[in-house]
Structure formats: structure tokens, C-alpha cells
Amino acid sequence: MDRHEMEKKLHKALDKERFRHTMGVMYTAASLAMAHGCDMDAALLAGLLHDCAKCIPNDKKLELCKKHHIEITDAEERSPFLLHAKLGAFWARKKYEVTDEQVLHAIAVHTTGAPGMGVLDKILYIADYIEPNRKKAPDLGTVRQMAFTDLDRTMLLILEGTLSYLEEGKGEIDLRTAETYEYFKQQVMQGKET
Ligand code: DGI
Ligand code: FE
Ligand code: FE
């Protein structure tokens, strides 16, 4: 299946706003790939499909994960929207015929992040946060500028923002998100020492 065919399929599967966000993430991921010497086609594909499982009811997400033996953490059980990342990777493989494991991994970890994330994983995570249609975060200007020069520091900045948002009582922190934050804190500290 080529990218334009996928786009048509997603246009039906997503609501208008999610589709607009998807296009924003796709092109932002491509730009970040250019800036950081990463495969642009992989970035486009990851951006295009990252939220492909977003627009289904939460109970259906849980049901589908159980049916397909996709692991559900305690935090995911209580906040099933988090599962759209793992389920998205599953659908990217099954419904959109993606075989590139790096693309599938980037989709699977795009919401919580993961320790040891690769370049494509970071690009998708960051593109999701900074794409032009996003307007809510207070530090977006700084994050957008930093994204084109330093992926690790950008990850840390976004994770700090996400954790403080969740700590305000906006949601339960998944273990993965906390581990990812610790990982990037280490990465950035080590980078400063050398
Ligand atoms: O699907 P999108 O809205 O485009 O973006 P996303 O998949 O990155 O999801 C963003 C939301 O996920 C944002 O509101 C913060 C939330 N989030 C990230 N990590 C965690 C989390 N929510 C909870 N409850 N726990 C987490 O660890
Ligand atoms: Fe998402
Ligand atoms: Fe998204």
C-alpha cells in the first residue's frame, strides 16, 4: 500500500481534527528527519500512521488489545486512551501493511516514550508535540526551535512539561513515562559532562 492510499484510508478512520493533526505530524516529522539526517520516508510513514487507532471508543481499545494479546499495563487499564499507541502499531502492521520495524516501534512508543529511544522514535514523539496545529503547551516556541538542533534536550523539556501536567492531577503517570524522563535526564547530564 502506498502512502496516498493510506492517507485515503485514514481520512475515513479519523475525525477531521485528528486528520489535520496527522498531516501536521507527518510533515513535521519529515522536516525533523531532514535536520537530523534520519530516513525521511520512514518519518513520513510514522507520522501518517501514529494515531491511526485513536478514534475508537476506549472500551473498544481495551477489548481489541485483549483479543490480540497486546499487553495492558495498570495505568493503561485505567487510562485506555494510552493504548492507541500500541494498538496503532498493531494496525499499522495489519491494516496498513507496514513492515519497517523502526516505524512500528516509533508508533508503539509515541505517547509515553521509552528509555533508549532511537532517532526515529524521538522524531515522532517530538513532531507529535510541536506540529503546527498544536497550541496548548506554554513553552511551544522554545521546544519548536530546540527540536531542530538537540533531540535529547527537547525530549527532556517535553517530558518535564508532560509530567508536571499529569502531576496537577490531569492523569495517572504510566511507569514508561517516568522511566523515559529519568533516561533523558541522564542523557542530557552526560552530554554536558563530555
Ligand atoms: O494522541 P495525541 O493527542 O496526538 O498525542 P499523544 O499520543 O502523545 O498523547 C498525548 C497525551 O498523552 C497528553 O495529554 C499527555 C498524555 N500522556 C503522556 N504520558 C502519559 C499521559 N497520560 C497519562 N495518563 N499517563 C502518562 O504517563
Ligand atoms: Fe497519539
Ligand atoms: Fe498525535
Side-chain angles (χ1 to χ4, degrees):
M1 196 184 302
D2 70 20
R3 215 168 47 233
H4 298 288
E5 231 175 298
M6 292 178 189
E7 218 175 286
K8 271 193 247 163
K9 205 166 159 165
L10 280 163
H11 193 76
K12 289 187 199 140
L14 302 176
D15 61 44
K16 215 163 119 191
E17 219 172 297
R18 187 57 45 182
F19 187 75
R20 203 182 307 133
H21 160 72
T22 291
M23 291 293 115
V25 175
M26 176 170 82
Y27 288 118
T28 304
S31 308
L32 289 172
M34 293 175 202
H36 296 285
C38 177
D39 182 340
M40 188 187 71
D41 287 311
L44 284 165
L45 197 54
L48 181 62
L49 293 172
H50 82 285
D51 276 341
C52 72
K54 183 91 178 182
C55 292
I56 57 165
N58 281 334
D59 54 353
K60 185 106 200 221
K61 288 189 184 85
L62 277 165
E63 187 190 311
L64 283 167
C65 283
K66 282 176 191 154
K67 182 174 165 196
H68 297 293
H69 310 289
I70 297 169
E71 191 205 333
I72 303 167
T73 66
D74 290 346
E76 285 166 343
E77 186 87 47
R78 289 186 282 268
S79 310
F81 82 92
L82 290 167
L83 288 169
H84 78 277
K86 288 181 191 170
L87 201 55
F90 178 79
W91 275 4
R93 194 194 295 274
K94 298 287 174 207
K95 291 190 176 187
Y96 295 86
E97 301 163 6
V98 174
T99 53
D100 184 333
E101 293 299 329
Q102 291 189 352
V103 170
L104 296 169
H105 187 263
I107 296 172
V109 302
H110 87 265
T111 303
T112 59
M117 288 166 89
V119 181
L120 183 63
D121 299 333
K122 294 185 236 184
I123 283 176
L124 179 60
Y125 185 97
I126 293 168
D128 198 10
Y129 192 85
I130 67 169
E131 66 95 2
N133 301 294
R134 284 261 200 237
K135 290 185 181 76
K136 57 181 183 190
D139 51 353
L140 260 184
T142 317
V143 179
R144 282 181 170 137
Q145 196 169 2
M146 196 188 283
F148 288 85
T149 55
D150 192 332
L151 292 176
D152 286 355
R153 277 184 63 206
T154 308
M155 286 298 306
L156 186 59
L157 206 58
I158 296 175
L159 282 155
E160 271 168 6
T162 301
L163 284 177
S164 51
Y165 169 81
L166 293 172
E167 276 158 8
E168 280 168 22
K170 303 282 172 32
E172 179 183 357
I173 296 167
D174 189 287
L175 187 61
R176 261 301 173 79
T177 307
E179 285 172 354
T180 308
Y181 169 69
E182 290 304 325
Y183 170 79
F184 282 104
K185 213 162 69 177
Q186 288 299 320
Q187 289 300 108
V188 170
M189 263 172 12
Q190 276 168 18
K192 274 187 190 149
E193 281 162 18
T194 49

PDB file of all heavy atoms in Angstrom, residues 18 21 25 50-51 110 128 134, ligand 3:
ATOM      1  N   ARG A  18      -8.360  15.223  13.946  1.00  0.00           N
ATOM      2  CA  ARG A  18      -7.284  14.235  14.081  1.00  0.00           C
ATOM      3  C   ARG A  18      -6.553  14.062  12.765  1.00  0.00           C
ATOM      4  O   ARG A  18      -5.348  13.874  12.732  1.00  0.00           O
ATOM      5  CB  ARG A  18      -7.892  12.903  14.569  1.00  0.00           C
ATOM      6  CG  ARG A  18      -6.929  11.807  14.931  1.00  0.00           C
ATOM      7  CD  ARG A  18      -5.925  12.168  15.991  1.00  0.00           C
ATOM      8  NE  ARG A  18      -6.480  12.860  17.118  1.00  0.00           N
ATOM      9  CZ  ARG A  18      -5.743  13.299  18.155  1.00  0.00           C
ATOM     10  NH1 ARG A  18      -4.444  13.097  18.193  1.00  0.00           N
ATOM     11  NH2 ARG A  18      -6.321  13.937  19.134  1.00  0.00           N
ATOM     12  N   HIS A  21      -4.288  17.057  12.373  1.00  0.00           N
ATOM     13  CA  HIS A  21      -3.128  16.857  13.256  1.00  0.00           C
ATOM     14  C   HIS A  21      -2.156  15.840  12.640  1.00  0.00           C
ATOM     15  O   HIS A  21      -0.937  16.036  12.639  1.00  0.00           O
ATOM     16  CB  HIS A  21      -3.623  16.396  14.631  1.00  0.00           C
ATOM     17  CG  HIS A  21      -2.599  15.713  15.473  1.00  0.00           C
ATOM     18  ND1 HIS A  21      -1.550  16.389  16.060  1.00  0.00           N
ATOM     19  CD2 HIS A  21      -2.445  14.406  15.826  1.00  0.00           C
ATOM     20  CE1 HIS A  21      -0.806  15.532  16.738  1.00  0.00           C
ATOM     21  NE2 HIS A  21      -1.316  14.318  16.610  1.00  0.00           N
ATOM     22  N   VAL A  25       1.757  16.277  11.831  1.00  0.00           N
ATOM     23  CA  VAL A  25       2.811  15.432  12.408  1.00  0.00           C
ATOM     24  C   VAL A  25       3.655  14.814  11.289  1.00  0.00           C
ATOM     25  O   VAL A  25       4.883  14.762  11.380  1.00  0.00           O
ATOM     26  CB  VAL A  25       2.218  14.320  13.314  1.00  0.00           C
ATOM     27  CG1 VAL A  25       3.306  13.365  13.802  1.00  0.00           C
ATOM     28  CG2 VAL A  25       1.492  14.938  14.508  1.00  0.00           C
ATOM     29  N   HIS A  50       0.713   7.343  13.096  1.00  0.00           N
ATOM     30  CA  HIS A  50       0.901   7.247  14.553  1.00  0.00           C
ATOM     31  C   HIS A  50      -0.409   7.229  15.351  1.00  0.00           C
ATOM     32  O   HIS A  50      -0.495   6.544  16.363  1.00  0.00           O
ATOM     33  CB  HIS A  50       1.843   8.359  15.056  1.00  0.00           C
ATOM     34  CG  HIS A  50       1.185   9.675  15.275  1.00  0.00           C
ATOM     35  ND1 HIS A  50       0.815  10.504  14.245  1.00  0.00           N
ATOM     36  CD2 HIS A  50       0.814  10.304  16.412  1.00  0.00           C
ATOM     37  CE1 HIS A  50       0.241  11.594  14.752  1.00  0.00           C
ATOM     38  NE2 HIS A  50       0.235  11.492  16.063  1.00  0.00           N
ATOM     39  N   ASP A  51      -1.424   7.948  14.898  1.00  0.00           N
ATOM     40  CA  ASP A  51      -2.696   7.994  15.643  1.00  0.00           C
ATOM     41  C   ASP A  51      -3.807   7.201  14.944  1.00  0.00           C
ATOM     42  O   ASP A  51      -4.982   7.467  15.158  1.00  0.00           O
ATOM     43  CB  ASP A  51      -3.139   9.448  15.838  1.00  0.00           C
ATOM     44  CG  ASP A  51      -2.481  10.111  17.048  1.00  0.00           C
ATOM     45  OD1 ASP A  51      -1.980   9.395  17.938  1.00  0.00           O
ATOM     46  OD2 ASP A  51      -2.481  11.367  17.102  1.00  0.00           O
ATOM     47  N   HIS A 110       4.991   6.279  20.944  1.00  0.00           N
ATOM     48  CA  HIS A 110       4.865   7.729  20.703  1.00  0.00           C
ATOM     49  C   HIS A 110       4.155   8.496  21.823  1.00  0.00           C
ATOM     50  O   HIS A 110       4.270   9.708  21.893  1.00  0.00           O
ATOM     51  CB  HIS A 110       4.210   8.014  19.340  1.00  0.00           C
ATOM     52  CG  HIS A 110       2.708   8.060  19.349  1.00  0.00           C
ATOM     53  ND1 HIS A 110       1.919   6.988  19.047  1.00  0.00           N
ATOM     54  CD2 HIS A 110       1.846   9.069  19.637  1.00  0.00           C
ATOM     55  CE1 HIS A 110       0.634   7.331  19.134  1.00  0.00           C
ATOM     56  NE2 HIS A 110       0.568   8.595  19.510  1.00  0.00           N
ATOM     57  N   ASP A 128       4.898  15.065  17.194  1.00  0.00           N
ATOM     58  CA  ASP A 128       3.545  14.974  17.732  1.00  0.00           C
ATOM     59  C   ASP A 128       3.244  16.172  18.646  1.00  0.00           C
ATOM     60  O   ASP A 128       2.136  16.688  18.676  1.00  0.00           O
ATOM     61  CB  ASP A 128       3.445  13.669  18.542  1.00  0.00           C
ATOM     62  CG  ASP A 128       2.018  13.237  18.798  1.00  0.00           C
ATOM     63  OD1 ASP A 128       1.103  13.815  18.204  1.00  0.00           O
ATOM     64  OD2 ASP A 128       1.842  12.309  19.602  1.00  0.00           O
ATOM     65  N   ARG A 134      -0.817  22.255  16.971  1.00  0.00           N
ATOM     66  CA  ARG A 134      -0.810  22.185  18.444  1.00  0.00           C
ATOM     67  C   ARG A 134      -0.670  23.586  19.010  1.00  0.00           C
ATOM     68  O   ARG A 134       0.211  24.340  18.621  1.00  0.00           O
ATOM     69  CB  ARG A 134       0.395  21.372  18.914  1.00  0.00           C
ATOM     70  CG  ARG A 134       0.228  19.900  18.743  1.00  0.00           C
ATOM     71  CD  ARG A 134      -0.198  19.268  20.052  1.00  0.00           C
ATOM     72  NE  ARG A 134       0.084  17.839  20.021  1.00  0.00           N
ATOM     73  CZ  ARG A 134      -0.842  16.903  20.219  1.00  0.00           C
ATOM     74  NH1 ARG A 134      -2.078  17.224  20.479  1.00  0.00           N
ATOM     75  NH2 ARG A 134      -0.495  15.638  20.179  1.00  0.00           N
TER      76      ARG A 134
HETATM   77 FE    FE B   3      -0.704  12.527  17.721  1.00  0.00          FE
END
